[in-house]
Amino acid sequence: MRRVVVTGLGLVTPLASGVEESWRRILDGQSGAGKISRFDASHLATDYACEVPHGDGTDGTFNPDDWMAPKDQRKVDTFILYGIAAAAQAVEDAGWTPDDRAELERTGVLIGSGIGGLNSIAETALVLRDRGPRRVSPFFVPGALINLISGQVSIRYGFRGPNHSVVTACSTGAHAIGDAARLIRDDDADVMIAGGAEASISEIGIAGFNACKALSTKRSDDPTKASRPYDVDSDGFVMGEGSGIVVLEEYEHAKARGAKIYAEVIGYGLSGDAYHITAPSEDGDGAERCMRMALKKAGLQPSDIDYINAHGTSTMADKIELGAVERMMGDAADKVTMSSTKSMTGHLLGAAGAIEAIFSILAIRDQVAPPTINLDNPAVETKVDLAPNAKRERKINVALSNSFGFGGTNASVIFRKVD
Amino acid sequence: MSDVANRVKKIVVEHLGVEESKVVDNASFIDDLGADSLDTVELVMAFEEEFGIEIPDDAAETIQTFGDAVGFISNANA
């Protein structure tokens, strides 16, 4: 069987642009939340979010000009810009820029988004209404389509292998990585650029999620305290934005070129709740079956899992996921550490599963579990170590990352240390 | 250079991200200035906006160079 390993990482997060700087701030327990700066949000029920810090590129800030020429930035929605930036980081990290036609044909791209060019659609709808159809930009459609990160990345590097995309709400990033690993395992490609990107912090994005009663609304006075999974005072998720991209590679291919190997993708599970359009099934059945499928594919026992990066959005769903984890772990529940990095990044929707897969991979690399911050008064009683407010240095050979999305779509991906 | 030419040049430089010195009369948007077919659609929209004129699709197809654009707009404005 063809094995799949991770050989490159790229991150644009609300903590920072760049893998190492984002990870350093995550381990430090910093929050990426603040008042919304990009538009006037004072009339919305939520006026805070976890925005990517834009700047000149120093001190972890995101400088769009570092990743795309200004004339081309105008032609794409911000989610595509974030995706291209994270993909460029990952490709550089992996050192994979072949010239050989055969190699390029064996390298594919599978990058998704939960919502895509929402803000572009909203703005263009206003142009259409106020100024008519002749003022609609020719770049509107290709700048808003979800699969256009995959398209843009393939064009930039000449990657001519499978060109695909995923749209499964907040499970997108995890599904993209899992599906891409399968394409390599099935011998459709040797290398895949995979992950997710999102940029929905806009008036229509916040208003839409407010209407679903999904967002935190009560922490305008201190947004850094708003994302607080498992805490009695949690009141909804905080919207985040950014992108996480990995380079996946067939093991022998990576070894043959002396690539740096972060971890192996050993398990992937998928399931559907068949329950409700926004709420997870209350018995946690979908989440549990999803994790069990990933474990079975990995050929592991629950007790083999050292770290779980929870979906943990800071909503009522946190308890349901925790219940599913407790049932799956059984007697080993007191051996595992599970944390929600969304306490720091907010919820990146279609990018969440991808950035959290990367945090799981880095947890294996550095043998440290990131913390769940703002967990001051637990709303749950559990044997599972939730790493409240401080990172946990511990043995981590195997890490599982969970993602669950609207529509009742679940994904779990398992990574293992490679010696 | 005429006022029209200066304003057209500014738009071309901005939209195509090219050096001002490259925007000469016989410079083709596609062959010399790196535009693709969508860029040319957007350029024509920008000219319409800037000069408050309408450029029909069949006329837009005849605007291949910087000189073509300046000529068309000067006539339309005349």
Side-chain angles (χ1 to χ4, degrees):
Chain A
M1 173 128 90
R2 286 160 61 86
R3 296 168 63 187
V4 180
V5 294
V6 181
T7 57
L9 306 175
L11 279 177
V12 175
T13 75
L15 277 310
S17 175
V19 171
E20 298 306 331
E21 191 57 25
S22 291
W23 181 233
R24 191 185 69 73
R25 293 178 191 194
I26 287 282
L27 291 181
D28 196 31
Q30 295 183 26
S31 167
K35 287 293 185 91
I36 290 171
S37 66
R38 226 154 294 147
F39 62 97
D40 178 11
S42 56
H43 60 304
L44 299 172
T46 300
D47 66 356
Y48 50 93
C50 291
E51 293 177 315
V52 167
H54 286 232
D56 63 3
T58 60
D59 194 29
T61 56
F62 177 78
N63 183 353
D65 297 352
D66 289 344
W67 310 104
M68 207 174 190
K71 73 180 170 69
D72 294 324
Q73 289 170 33
R74 290 186 303 105
K75 302 175 186 172
V76 298
D77 189 273
T78 308
F79 85 100
I80 293 180
L81 176 64
Y82 289 158
I84 288 174
Q89 293 174 23
V91 166
E92 186 185 338
D93 185 36
W96 184 244
T97 49
D99 296 322
D100 180 64
R101 180 81 183 204
E103 293 278 25
L104 291 167
E105 289 178 0
R106 295 285 294 171
T107 302
V109 191
L110 203 172
I111 300 169
S113 178
I115 307 191
L118 179 67
N119 196 46
S120 298
I121 295 169
E123 287 182 349
T124 304
L126 295 178
V127 169
L128 179 64
R129 188 191 63 184
D130 296 340
R131 302 167 64 204
R134 288 182 58 85
R135 296 269 79 85
V136 172
S137 165
F139 298 107
F140 161 54
V141 170
L145 288 180
I146 283 181
N147 72 301
L148 257 286
I149 305 175
S150 294
Q152 291 267 8
V153 169
S154 74
I155 293 163
R156 178 173 290 209
Y157 296 102
F159 296 149
R160 291 172 158 81
N163 200 268
H164 207 336
S165 190
V166 173
V167 185
T168 49
C170 307
S171 296
T172 297
H175 275 140
I177 291 171
D179 289 351
R182 286 190 172 180
L183 289 174
I184 294 174
R185 193 156 301 157
D186 287 352
D187 208 7
D188 296 319
D190 292 325
V191 181
M192 289 294 299
I193 319 303
E198 204 76 84
S200 299
I201 302 175
S202 60
E203 189 180 23
I204 193 169
I206 298 287
F209 279 95
N210 271 150
C212 295
K213 304 294 177 196
L215 295 180
S216 165
T217 57
K218 295 179 179 162
R219 293 279 176 169
S220 194
D221 55 331
D222 188 359
T224 65
K225 302 286 184 215
S227 187
R228 39 194 319 116
Y230 318 111
D231 189 88
V232 290
D233 293 319
S234 68
D235 76 315
F237 77 77
V238 179
M239 197 185 290
E241 62 172 1
S243 177
I245 306 285
V246 297
V247 175
L248 301 179
E249 191 164 349
E250 194 274 326
Y251 178 62
E252 297 297 338
H253 187 277
K255 247 182 30 181
R257 69 180 185 94
K260 161 182 58 188
I261 296 175
Y262 285 97
E264 181 173 0
V265 185
I266 57 168
Y268 173 41
L270 317 79
S271 72
D273 279 359
Y275 176 73
H276 187 266
I277 52 171
T278 60
S281 146
E282 279 163 38
D283 58 9
D285 165 69
E288 186 178 344
R289 284 186 294 111
C290 184
M291 289 186 281
R292 285 192 189 279
M293 186 196 286
L295 261 185
K296 188 178 164 194
K297 287 283 161 78
L300 296 179
Q301 298 302 312
S303 58
D304 293 324
I305 301 176
D306 302 303
Y307 172 65
I308 297 174
N309 189 297
H311 186 57
T313 54
S314 188
T315 64
M316 45 71 78
D318 299 349
K319 280 185 192 173
I320 296 172
E321 179 186 16
L322 179 59
V325 166
E326 286 171 333
R327 285 193 303 282
M328 179 198 64
M329 293 302 296
D331 293 342
D334 59 352
K335 303 276 197 314
V336 74
T337 295
M338 173 165 100
S339 61
S340 167
T341 43
K342 288 190 183 77
S343 60
M344 296 167 278
T345 62
H347 189 354
L348 274 71
L349 310 176
I355 71 164
E356 289 157 19
I358 291 172
F359 295 147
S360 302
I361 291 161
L362 293 170
I364 290 172
R365 183 192 71 178
D366 294 345
Q367 298 290 290
V368 59
T372 303
I373 69 164
N374 295 323
L375 182 43
D376 301 327
N377 301 297
V380 293
E381 260 187 61
T382 180
K383 286 186 192 165
V384 175
D385 169 30
L386 298 173
N389 302 318
K391 67 184 178 190
R392 187 81 73 219
E393 286 176 22
R394 55 160 295 163
K395 173 192 76 107
I396 301 178
N397 282 334
V398 175
L400 179 152
S401 184
N402 271 338
S403 294
F404 312 128
F406 279 6
T409 173
N410 311 304
S412 301
V413 187
I414 303 180
F415 301 94
R416 182 168 60 196
K417 190 169 197 240
V418 176
D419 291 320
Chain B
M1 191 172 277
S2 72
D3 169 57
V4 167
N6 278 325
R7 286 158 70 190
V8 170
K9 183 178 278 189
K10 189 158 171 275
I11 289 169
V12 172
V13 165
E14 208 175 280
H15 281 255
L16 302 183
V18 290
E19 298 280 327
E20 218 178 296
S21 60
K22 297 228 168 95
V23 186
V24 293
D25 268 1
N26 57 359
S28 156
F29 295 127
I30 290 179
D31 296 334
D32 302 318
L33 301 177
D36 65 17
S37 60
L38 296 180
D39 288 316
T40 60
V41 174
E42 199 189 37
L43 270 183
V44 167
M45 285 172 60
F47 298 151
E48 289 182 330
E49 192 96 327
E50 172 72 16
F51 296 98
I53 56 174
E54 188 165 320
I55 305 177
D57 287 350
D58 52 349
E61 279 167 26
T62 67
I63 302 177
Q64 307 279 339
T65 65
F66 172 66
D68 293 342
V70 174
F72 183 93
I73 293 162
S74 301
N75 285 336
N77 274 351

